[in-house]
Amino acid sequence: MSADALLPLLKSTFGFDAFRGRQGEVVDRVMAGARTLAVMPTGAGKSLTYQLPAVALNGCVVVVSPLIALMHDQLRGARAAGIRAASLTSVDADWAETRQAYRDGQLDLLYVAPERATGEGFRNLLEAQTPALFAIDEAHCVSEWGHDFRPNYRLLRPLLDAFPAVPRLALTATADKHTREDILVQLGIPADGLILAGFDRPNIRYAVRPRVSPAKQLVEFIAANPGPGIVYAPTRNGTERLAEQIAAATGRRVAAYHAGLDPELRARVQHDFVASEDGIVTATVAFGMGIDKPDVRFVAHAGLPKSIESYYQETGRAGRDGDPAEAMMLWGADDFARARMRLSELPEVRVAGERVRLNALAALVETVECRRALLLRHFGENPPERCGNCDNCLEPAAQVDATVLAQKLLSAVYRTGQSFGAGHIEAVLTGRSDERIASRGHDKLSVFGIVAGEEARLIKPLVRSLMAREALDTTEHGGLMLGPAARAMMKGETAVLMAEPPVKRTQRAGRGGASATPNPVGDPLFDALRAMRRELAAEAGVPPYVIFHDAVLRTMASERPATRSALADIPGVGGKKLEAWGDAFLNVIRQF
Ligand code: ADP
Ligand code: ZN
């Protein structure tokens, strides 16, 4: 059965009219019994690629997932759509029932942790009733290259191989090529089983600003973003301070979250946030893993993230429901200074790698070009030059023409032998001789002292900027070397425009007023629909988004369906939800 043949089931179960992105291809392979690795960004809709087959196929889909919180979140969502789902985790009390239901063929989906899945008891259970599919979620955990290696994932292979006829579907949002190849090998998936979806998250608007007064900038930003959001801060104290400041200035509910809080409080903060329609959490990066809240409207960084990968992952927690969302980062030169200091404390072997990471971040914060294009190129994609939905596309920064300076800089890198760092190159260009320069004869070069005055200030930012454009690269020892784009630049074939360095840049705080959330403000029908959603959510003991996403309520408010069948036409309204909650919402609409 092809994915297209499942479209009616997609509509009746999930309320969706079409597959999104590459979901259809993944489902096609699963239905054909082929082994597959699906790499899709967060929010792409990975879970649907096994939940839909779970409904279509005879037999149960076994989902291996590393975190109880993730499993239970998925469980709630699946059950709300009418899927017969259960989990076997340490906190589930209904083990016996679940196992029995599995044996009796009464389950569509069974979630299990890798520790459990690799045990003998579980193998026996599967031998009694062969599963329809193995879905291995967060599959990067199987690889030592991944950022989350879990030895237990390695033990899955014998289990999978014990059921060679059962198709396997591995899923992850991790992009890295190494990890991908490793997952294929570790889980016995052929190379042509890889489906790699794009990394773009077009609904997230990226902005990066110099940090001037963080509390004030964050408050302005948050004032324009009424929905739920996360503010990442580098330190525990920072999270608590910001929580107080933001709460005081905005009157909103803000909770701090970090690894130093006791586990109970942490669990409560997380639970309240997931259930809320407007909660804010100020957190260290300890927060987020395992949180599957689709309606997070903004993610702010009060300081530089650790790497582009972490930035992408952290900002990726915004807008999983596809509605507009914002990612705003504040950075200061001191972030870089601190990070570079930490480099000196690292074991030698890690320094070069960390430096590359840091330079990539520098390029992200300093570029005047499209932030999204830079991010996507980092992940190996070939995006359009402009996205139209980042700060640099929307309000281009003041630019200086550094074409000639770039030629001087590249030529200095070339003439000094492509092995020195930016400091040395700067000294050569500005004619600041010292022993190191003199002993190598660099003061005799034609590039010595050819940059003076105002321009000298642009050298360091230009280095980062040229790094972003691949005109400069770093050697494994952190020296500068020419990159693939250098030649054209040195020949004057490409112009180099760069952002005015931060000191001179007109400081703009929030983009006041331009809220990213399109939820109608002050629409009484929308508010009433939300109130109904809250009521039903409380009754069912689930977060509001499990009932319906904001987008569904918005469509209800604008289209005002009067009948069940009109309501069923709204994307996101599946059969089970229609039956359970449809009338309640129709009643609300009728009153307006
Ligand atoms: P991932 O696991 O890839 O991060 P999820 O499975 O949590 O993503 O899905 C993200 C959101 O996308 C969910 O809220 C889901 O309802 C929605 N979604 C998934 N598939 C579709 C689709 N075909 N059409 C519309 N929305 C979808
Ligand atoms: Zn852009």
Side-chain angles (χ1 to χ4, degrees), residues 10 14-21 23 40-51 73-74 137-138 172-173 201 292 294 316 319-322 545 549 571-572 577:
L10 179 68
F14 298 94
F16 301 141
D17 295 310
F19 290 108
R20 210 161 64 181
Q23 279 176 331
M40 298 179 159
T42 304
K46 282 186 286 299
S47 45
L48 187 112
T49 61
Y50 56 83
Q51 290 187 348
D73 207 73
Q74 293 239 343
D137 210 359
E138 312 288 344
T172 177
R201 300 286 311 281
D292 211 350
R320 296 172 69 134
D321 55 8
Y545 61 76
H549 283 183
K577 293 189 176 186

Side-chain angles (χ1 to χ4, degrees), residues 398-466:
Q399 289 186 328
V400 275
D401 186 343
T403 310
V404 173
L405 183 63
Q407 287 168 353
K408 293 176 179 171
L409 176 71
L410 293 173
S411 137
V413 169
Y414 181 70
R415 281 170 207 281
T416 52
Q418 308 194 58
S419 55
F420 294 89
H424 188 87
I425 301 296
E426 186 182 30
V428 170
L429 284 170
T430 55
R432 216 168 55 226
S433 191
D434 59 22
E435 212 174 309
R436 222 167 140 230
I437 287 175
S439 73
R440 290 183 165 81
H442 290 170
D443 54 351
K444 305 283 184 304
L445 297 173
S446 59
V447 288
F448 186 76
I450 55 171
V451 173
E454 264 297 277
E455 248 190 357
R457 177 177 79 83
L458 297 177
I459 293 177
K460 284 248 170 72
L462 181 60
V463 166
R464 290 192 276 254
S465 175
L466 293 186

Side-chain angles (χ1 to χ4, degrees), residues 205-276:
R205 174 172 295 177
Y206 299 101
V208 177
R209 303 197 177 94
R211 186 171 57 234
V212 189
S213 61
K216 185 161 165 280
Q217 286 171 292
L218 286 168
V219 163
E220 270 176 45
F221 171 72
I222 288 167
N225 285 278
I230 306 171
V231 179
Y232 285 110
T235 64
R236 294 176 183 188
N237 283 342
T239 64
E240 293 184 354
R241 207 170 43 241
L242 281 174
E244 277 168 31
Q245 290 168 324
I246 295 169
T250 62
R252 291 180 56 180
R253 213 151 44 87
V254 190
Y257 183 105
H258 54 75
L261 300 176
D262 77 62
E264 230 167 83
L265 178 57
R266 281 212 313 262
R268 194 165 70 234
V269 169
Q270 176 168 334
H271 174 270
D272 289 352
F273 177 68
V274 169
S276 82

